[in-house]
Amino acid sequence: MPGKTSELLPLLLLGLALGTQQALPPPCPSLVYCHGELLHQVQMAKIYSDDKEFVDMPMREHPDQVLQRFRSLSAAHNHSIPRDKVKAFVTESFLVKGQELLPWTPEDWKESPQLLYNISDPALRAWAEKLHKLWKDLGKKVKPEVGMEPERFSLIYSEHPFIVPGGRFVEFYYWDSYWVVEGLLLSEMPQTVKGMLQNFLHLVRRFGHIPNGARVYYQQRSQPPLLTLMMNSYVTRTHDLTFLRDNIETLALELDFWAQNRSVPVSLGGKTYTLNRYYVPFGGPRPESYSKDMELAETLPEGSRETLWAELKAGAESGWDFSSRWLVGGRDPDLLSSIRTSKLVPVDLNAFLCQGEELMSSFYIRLGNTTQAEKYRKLRDQRLAAMQAVLWDEEQGAWFDYDLDSGKKNTAFYPTNLTPLWAGCFSDPGAPDKALKYLEDKQILNYKRGVPSSLKNSGQQWDFPNAWAPLQDLVIRGRGRRTPWVWRVYDINQGQPGGGGEYEVQTGFGWTNGVVMILLDLYGDRLTSGTQIALLEPSCLAGALLLSLLLTFLPQ
Ligand SMILES: *[C@@H]1O[C@H](CO)[C@@H](O)[C@H](O)[C@H]1NC(C)=O
Ligand SMILES: *[C@@H]1O[C@H](CO)[C@@H](O)[C@H](O)[C@H]1NC(C)=O
């Protein structure tokens, strides 16, 4: 594979691809990390097994010098540099990945948070202690030089230390952080949470929205909007109204971005509603998955490639990268190249925003600003009506993604179909009971070890049989915390770590820790180590990126 495309390539092919279709702007201006010939030649040479490796490497000198040296090299080889020379160039011009971060032990970490005392089984408590200790391995802070010479790094400078997902991901991510924050608060670490919130608020002020993660190449796409929810968790625990008052306008700014840049009208039954979707009108392959996106595009006519790349980015913005959920209604719903994320109005996105609007309204009431409180109350009411009319299915008792092209709901099962319960955003008081019946009708409760991401085994990582930690939370807390569950780790079929993604399963996934802590908090007094959970090392559990934090129903 390597070499095959790199011989025909670069400018010619790119030029053709862009020439036949309106070119979309690149995901960021950087000619090293986001677009251009250097990125193209390096990524297509496939020096590393994972394209993310290269775009995470800091430059040894100013990008102008790196680019200048690259241009001479490329010209000398007629714009097709042999692989070994590309490799030598990268080694000479870049530092190895991870140099810009320092390990950091959270200062508010303590030996024995109350959470541990609430766990009755000693073996389970010992296991939870190990889990609590993992925060110390996932803490990172950015070296000051990144702030002083930002152009040499793809990492976006953040003033405050943070918790990273782990493994391949050494920077922080947007929606992951919601579950990390919940876990940190249960570990009684509000100072760490405050710093993470400050980093996010800074991103909103700088970019007008929160990028997918703290790298320049993620700049033009966001992720499920959970900042307002994180603020709520922090304020509920700390009563820090000063912090809320100081930052409420920045929270409002983030919601404005979703209203202005991600909303879509839906006409139905003679009425027009406004709802939200994931949508990233920026072109080119994703820099961190460049060669994969390039090769996928080569299976399509040139005129369709920019659209494909924009839809892949929208898929990444959804957090579900990737899933058959975004392929429905496409030319061939078994092929990733059919992706059409922006044509669907997702249940979870609208439920998250609905909760955000509700929280903004209550924040403003607490701060004594009734005008603003009223504004968000109204926005929430409009969204509730739109969700009821467009997404809710009375007959089935669930909400479904709405297809803007066909005007129909996608009635396939996804745990996100129940997000309005989790978010407390529904107008039909009978919805919780109907939704429980929906889960039973679909026999979802028969998956003894957890709720799968979908019922379609597509080979994509957000599909059957993978069960992701945050989706377990959506369903468990969405069901009103009525049923105690026990979880195990592993994919729901074979009891193996999940697969099918862009990366291997790895240790230390922050959001899985967070979800486990939520469950320990809810059920720690009732669970016993008689279940398999306590036999597993936390590193194995937390490793559970794809994997699965899994659940078994216990009879009450
Ligand atoms: C939102 O869209 C407007 C154009 O409608 C654009 O000028 C602005 O840059 C966009 N904001 C972000 C953060 O993408
Ligand atoms: C309410 O908030 C808005 C927007 O931040 C601000 O312009 C207005 O002055 C505030 N009103 C009061 C009474 O604080």
Side-chain angles (χ1 to χ4, degrees):
M1 273 301 217
K4 187 184 127 225
T5 32
S6 61
E7 268 139 46
L8 345 160
L9 17 127
L11 297 176
L12 177 67
L13 216 154
L14 274 178
L16 277 176
L18 302 180
T20 47
Q21 194 186 8
Q22 182 132 44
L24 294 169
C28 88
S30 170
L31 278 167
V32 174
Y33 296 122
C34 291
H35 68 123
E37 194 193 344
L38 187 157
L39 180 71
H40 188 82
Q41 292 223 35
V42 172
Q43 294 293 42
M44 298 313 291
K46 300 191 183 181
I47 302 170
Y48 306 103
S49 59
D50 180 350
D51 287 347
K52 193 172 183 303
E53 186 84 20
F54 171 66
V55 289
D56 287 356
M57 294 168 78
M59 284 176 252
R60 290 181 190 269
E61 50 195 353
H62 193 279
D64 289 349
Q65 284 155 309
V66 172
L67 282 162
Q68 197 180 6
R69 218 145 14 82
F70 174 79
R71 285 187 192 115
S72 326
L73 180 68
S74 187
H77 293 279
N78 203 17
H79 298 283
S80 180
I81 311 168
R83 188 168 178 271
D84 59 327
K85 294 226 159 78
V86 174
K87 201 169 170 179
F89 166 77
V90 169
T91 314
E92 280 159 27
S93 308
F94 293 82
L95 295 163
V96 296
K97 166 178 176 160
Q99 302 282 302
E100 68 279 58
L101 288 157
L102 294 167
W104 171 74
T105 306
E107 281 145 31
D108 53 356
W109 190 90
K110 59 178 177 187
E111 209 61 58
S112 305
Q114 189 61 41
L115 173 74
L116 298 176
Y117 293 109
N118 296 347
I119 301 169
S120 36
D121 183 284
L124 188 59
R125 195 183 318 126
W127 180 84
E129 270 168 35
K130 292 190 206 168
L131 203 66
H132 170 64
K133 279 205 178 94
L134 277 178
W135 295 131
K136 296 208 271 191
D137 299 336
L138 295 173
K140 296 269 185 285
K141 74 178 182 195
V142 182
K143 285 185 186 168
E145 63 192 87
V146 180
M148 293 184 286
E149 295 176 82
E151 64 284 348
R152 288 206 293 115
F153 302 88
S154 66
L155 190 73
I156 296 171
Y157 181 72
S158 296
E159 190 183 336
H160 302 275
F162 45 83
I163 299 292
V164 300
R168 175 187 188 237
F169 305 101
V170 297
E171 55 284 317
F172 63 80
Y173 282 78
Y174 185 9
W175 80 312
D176 290 64
S177 298
Y178 170 81
W179 284 275
V180 168
V181 158
E182 294 282 288
L184 289 171
L185 291 171
L186 288 168
S187 283
E188 296 168 30
M189 297 164 68
Q191 272 312 111
T192 298
V193 170
K194 185 177 182 180
M196 290 176 68
L197 287 172
Q198 284 170 301
N199 291 337
F200 283 124
L201 292 160
H202 176 76
L203 290 173
V204 176
R205 288 189 282 263
R206 182 166 163 199
F207 296 110
H209 70 287
I210 297 178
N212 179 318
R215 293 274 178 188
V216 292
Y217 52 78
Y218 291 142
Q219 193 171 308
Q220 292 298 355
R221 61 191 209 228
S222 191
Q223 252 191 344
L226 296 167
L227 177 64
T228 308
L229 279 65
M230 289 189 240
M231 177 64 97
N232 181 55
S233 301
Y234 171 77
V235 173
T236 301
R237 209 155 260 263
T238 60
H239 310 290
D240 188 351
L241 283 185
T242 310
F243 186 67
L244 177 64
R245 181 175 290 113
D246 290 348
N247 293 292
I248 185 106
E249 288 183 20
T250 309
L251 296 180
L253 206 60
E254 203 233 351
L255 291 182
D256 288 348
F257 161 80
W258 288 91
Q260 282 160 21
N261 298 60
R262 297 290 188 267
S263 68
V264 65
V266 181
S267 298
L268 201 68
K271 284 194 180 168
T272 301
Y273 302 94
T274 302
L275 284 165
N276 284 76
R277 60 172 169 165
Y278 296 108
Y279 175 61
V280 185
F282 287 83
R286 290 170 300 154
E288 82 286 7
S289 298
Y290 195 99
S291 63
K292 277 189 181 175
D293 286 6
M294 201 67 205
E295 282 158 15
L296 188 64
E298 280 160 17
T299 66
L300 293 184
E302 275 148 21
S304 310
R305 292 176 185 174
E306 283 280 83
T307 306
L308 167 70
W309 290 327
E311 292 294 352
L312 288 169
K313 292 188 193 83
E317 183 169 83
S318 78
W320 284 52
D321 38 339
F322 291 107
S323 168
S324 62
R325 187 180 169 197
W326 306 134
L327 311 182
V328 288
R331 276 178 329 281
D332 180 347
D334 289 326
L335 295 178
L336 182 56
S337 57
S338 291
I339 188 163
R340 50 195 292 279
T341 320
S342 73
K343 305 293 185 206
L344 295 149
V345 176
V347 174
D348 41 354
L349 171 60
N350 285 285
F352 293 147
L353 288 169
C354 178
Q355 192 174 7
E357 287 153 355
E358 164 78 16
L359 291 171
M360 286 299 277
S361 179
S362 71
F363 289 163
Y364 274 119
I365 287 172
R366 291 175 79 175
L367 299 175
N369 192 328
T370 48
T371 322
Q372 288 296 98
E374 190 49 38
K375 171 185 152 178
Y376 283 99
R377 166 64 54 186
K378 236 186 200 156
L379 286 172
R380 176 181 188 265
D381 288 348
Q382 283 165 5
R383 190 183 298 277
L384 269 179
M387 288 173 69
Q388 178 75 11
V390 180
L391 307 177
W392 171 248
D393 188 316
E394 176 69 30
E395 211 167 291
Q396 297 216 41
W399 296 263
F400 296 107
D401 297 344
Y402 178 82
D403 187 325
L404 292 162
D405 285 347
S406 71
K408 293 198 177 110
K409 296 186 187 89
N410 170 17
T411 56
F413 170 80
Y414 310 104
T416 45
N417 291 352
L418 300 175
T419 320
L421 293 184
W422 181 89
C425 258
F426 50 91
S427 26
D428 176 351
D433 288 336
K434 288 177 194 158
L436 182 57
K437 187 167 175 304
Y438 165 76
L439 282 178
E440 279 161 3
D441 290 349
K442 293 281 149 195
Q443 305 193 324
I444 299 305
L445 309 183
N446 294 352
Y447 294 100
K448 290 295 179 204
R449 301 202 208 146
V451 181
S453 307
S454 77
L455 301 183
K456 180 163 176 164
N457 193 344
S458 70
Q460 299 295 338
Q461 63 180 2
W462 287 81
D463 269 316
F464 190 90
N466 292 329
W468 292 73
L471 302 183
Q472 309 309 309
D473 181 43
L474 291 185
V475 175
I476 297 167
R477 286 199 289 172
R479 293 187 58 221
R481 307 170 190 203
R482 264 179 273 169
T483 312
W485 308 55
V486 180
W487 52 92
R488 290 176 234 162
V489 190
Y490 289 145
D491 117 15
I492 55 183
N493 268 349
Q494 304 101 21
Q496 292 296 317
E502 296 184 271
Y503 27 83
E504 299 300 312
V505 175
Q506 43 217 316
T507 54
F509 257 74
W511 67 359
T512 307
N513 291 15
V515 174
V516 173
M517 286 180 167
I518 290 170
L519 298 182
L520 286 172
D521 181 48
L522 291 173
Y523 307 119
D525 57 340
R526 274 166 279 171
L527 295 173
T528 70
S529 59
T531 58
Q532 286 183 7
I533 171 180
L535 306 175
L536 292 163
E537 281 300 304
S539 59
C540 167
L541 189 234
L545 154 60
L546 321 164
L547 231 239
S548 347
L549 164 93
L550 299 175
L551 318 143
T552 311
F553 289 94
L554 285 178
Q556 191 114 32

